[in-house]
Amino acid sequence: MQLGCTKKLQEFLKKDILLADQSMDPFYIWNASIMLVKRRKTIVVLHAQSRCGFVLHGITVRDIRELDHLILDGIRGMLAAHGICAAVIDQYLDECGRILYTTTQDQQAVAHLNYFCEQVGFFSEAFIPIKQFQTHLLQSLNEDLVKFDEEYADPRQKLRDSFSEHYPGQSVFFQKMAVLDIKLVNAPCFRRLCIPSHYSLMKLHWAIQILFSWKDAHLHVFETEDGLSLDFDFPEYSFLVSEGDWEQPVEAEMERYLSIGKVFAHSRTIQYIYDPERHWLHRITLAAWKDDAQNSHASCILAFGTAPAEDVDGPGGCANRSPLIKNPCRRTTTDFQKTLRFSVQPGLRLQDINTTLGKL
């Protein structure tokens, strides 16, 4: 494996640096740089072919001796997070061989690294100080479209495509799916959703909006089964929780980075409340875990009951309004508004619902 290092990283590592092999397949090349995040040295590593990357946060001089091990673990973790199965990861790392520290291949590689460093800086406030490998940021760091040969593409899909091309005929993908039962309390309305476990709670929110034919016009919150904020169960994420109230549509950053898999590995049931005035309370229960080798999207397995209209008073009218709800989160970005153009209306088939869910 060739690891192209920028001059800043070379100075920090104080290793013998080889000249880059220009003929090497970019599938086996990674590039790296170093930057400060929250005043701690952070090594940024980027796959040359797909431009998917990860970070190693809080690197010290002592870590240099173990850097090969840290980088290989980081690559393994990133590939697994993007749905590459363990057997293929092992095969890939065997083919990569030992890490050769080299110069970067060209200025374009440096430009790609610089752009990714900008992404890292954008998400720096969400870094968990006690963690070296920021697992919760892998999806967010790599979700921005980048330019490949005059066309824009998702680096995560580019990564999956490159592995499919290099390992034809093999089962390349593996991801865990969560099968969730979503019941609108005090209403005859139920949905069963199958959704990738690496999706964030924010994506689960969008999925619920699609499942119930709503337009994300109101605030929402996820809570524990006991009605507490999720940061009680995940204190390491508590610094991400917004301090606003229902009067201020402040996005709860915790939902953006906390994965469905992490939540339901901890608790079998959580609550989702949509629209504080009407207090649409949903009970979300983990029905099962499901293994998937097809890189599937979210899908609705079962649905019955028409959801109430967006602005009709909820069960019991306004008597159930709760002034104690905290940590609201609202999604109004252009991406989700584009998805909602295809939003499901009452009476449409599961196929139509799933077409929309596939756009998450």
Side-chain angles (χ1 to χ4, degrees):
M1 177 193 300
Q2 186 168 292
L3 185 73
C5 303
T6 60
K7 290 182 179 179
K8 284 185 179 180
L9 183 57
Q10 293 175 32
E11 292 170 2
F12 175 72
L13 296 179
K14 294 182 172 61
K15 288 178 176 284
D16 292 331
I17 304 296
L18 306 174
L19 286 176
D21 180 357
Q22 302 292 333
S23 65
M24 181 175 283
D25 184 346
F27 184 63
Y28 301 106
I29 296 176
W30 295 74
N31 293 306
S33 188
I34 191 167
M35 61 184 294
L36 287 178
V37 176
K38 292 185 174 180
R39 294 183 292 182
R40 303 186 70 188
K41 289 183 174 66
T42 301
I43 292 181
V44 176
V45 184
L46 194 68
H47 185 225
Q49 187 170 66
S50 67
R51 291 170 63 183
C52 258
F54 64 92
V55 298
L56 297 172
H57 183 53
I59 296 294
T60 65
V61 174
R62 291 182 181 179
D63 291 321
I64 294 177
R65 290 175 294 182
E66 301 294 327
L67 191 57
D68 285 21
H69 177 73
L70 292 175
I71 288 175
L72 291 175
D73 278 354
I75 292 173
R76 183 182 296 277
M78 193 203 78
L79 295 179
H82 292 307
I84 309 301
C85 75
V88 171
I89 295 174
D90 288 340
Q91 184 176 347
Y92 171 71
L93 292 178
D94 284 344
E95 292 174 2
C96 284
R98 69 185 184 90
I99 297 177
L100 300 176
Y101 293 85
T102 72
T103 59
T104 52
Q105 284 197 308
D106 50 37
Q107 287 300 314
Q108 188 177 51
V110 176
H112 293 165
L113 270 172
N114 289 339
Y115 179 81
F116 190 69
C117 286
E118 290 179 10
Q119 289 291 99
V120 172
F122 181 78
F123 292 102
S124 61
E125 292 304 315
F127 274 57
I128 297 177
I130 61 174
K131 291 190 175 182
Q132 199 166 56
F133 186 56
Q134 304 286 313
T135 309
H136 66 294
L137 289 176
L138 284 173
Q139 298 298 325
S140 298
L141 287 174
N142 294 294
E143 67 184 0
D144 199 27
L145 297 181
V146 295
K147 199 171 186 179
F148 297 92
D149 299 325
E150 304 305 320
E151 293 185 2
Y152 286 90
D154 185 332
R156 298 167 298 181
Q157 187 58 49
K158 194 77 172 177
L159 180 75
R160 291 187 283 265
D161 289 345
S162 65
F163 271 81
S164 295
E165 292 166 4
H166 277 78
Y167 301 104
Q170 296 189 42
S171 297
V172 172
F173 304 112
F174 174 84
Q175 64 180 351
K176 184 178 285 189
M177 307 287 285
V179 180
L180 304 178
D181 287 346
I182 306 173
K183 174 70 170 66
L184 181 57
V185 176
N186 296 327
C189 198
F190 171 88
R191 306 286 187 266
R192 174 165 285 181
L193 174 70
C194 187
I195 189 167
S197 64
H198 69 264
Y199 277 17
S200 66
L201 282 187
M202 181 64 72
K203 280 199 173 183
L204 177 57
H205 157 66
W206 301 339
I208 293 171
Q209 292 292 300
I210 293 168
L211 289 171
F212 289 86
S213 301
W214 290 331
K215 302 292 184 182
D216 197 27
H218 302 283
L219 302 171
H220 74 273
V221 68
F222 287 97
E223 297 178 338
T224 68
E225 188 176 11
D226 298 327
L228 300 174
S229 169
L230 285 178
D231 63 300
F232 281 86
D233 281 344
F234 302 95
E236 67 270 29
Y237 290 87
S238 60
F239 71 99
L240 294 172
V241 175
S242 300
E243 296 297 333
D245 55 32
W246 283 111
E247 306 304 321
Q248 299 172 327
V250 181
E251 179 173 311
E253 288 294 301
M254 185 174 177
E255 291 182 17
R256 184 173 189 174
Y257 303 115
L258 192 57
S259 71
I260 292 169
K262 194 174 185 71
V263 169
F264 287 98
H266 190 281
S267 302
R268 192 173 183 83
T269 301
I270 62 172
Q271 296 182 163
Y272 169 85
I273 300 169
Y274 178 60
D275 188 351
E277 292 189 3
R278 292 161 184 85
H279 197 71
W280 295 115
L281 174 63
H282 304 69
R283 184 162 290 115
I284 307 175
T285 303
L286 176 69
W289 294 110
K290 179 182 175 183
D291 292 340
D292 173 63
Q294 303 300 321
N295 192 33
S296 301
H297 300 291
S299 61
C300 183
I301 302 172
L302 178 65
F304 64 78
T306 300
E310 187 88 31
D311 292 316
V312 172
D313 280 346
C318 294
N320 285 328
R321 297 179 187 177
S322 173
L324 300 178
I325 299 171
K326 297 179 179 179
N327 309 328
C329 187
R330 188 178 187 181
R331 175 70 170 181
T332 57
T333 63
T334 303
D335 287 344
F336 188 51
Q337 293 302 322
K338 288 179 181 177
T339 300
L340 290 176
R341 292 178 189 173
F342 305 92
S343 194
V344 180
Q345 299 301 320
L348 290 186
R349 301 168 301 168
L350 284 181
Q351 180 180 351
D352 300 300
I353 296 174
N354 290 333
T355 296
T356 312
L357 287 172
K359 300 178 185 297
L360 288 177

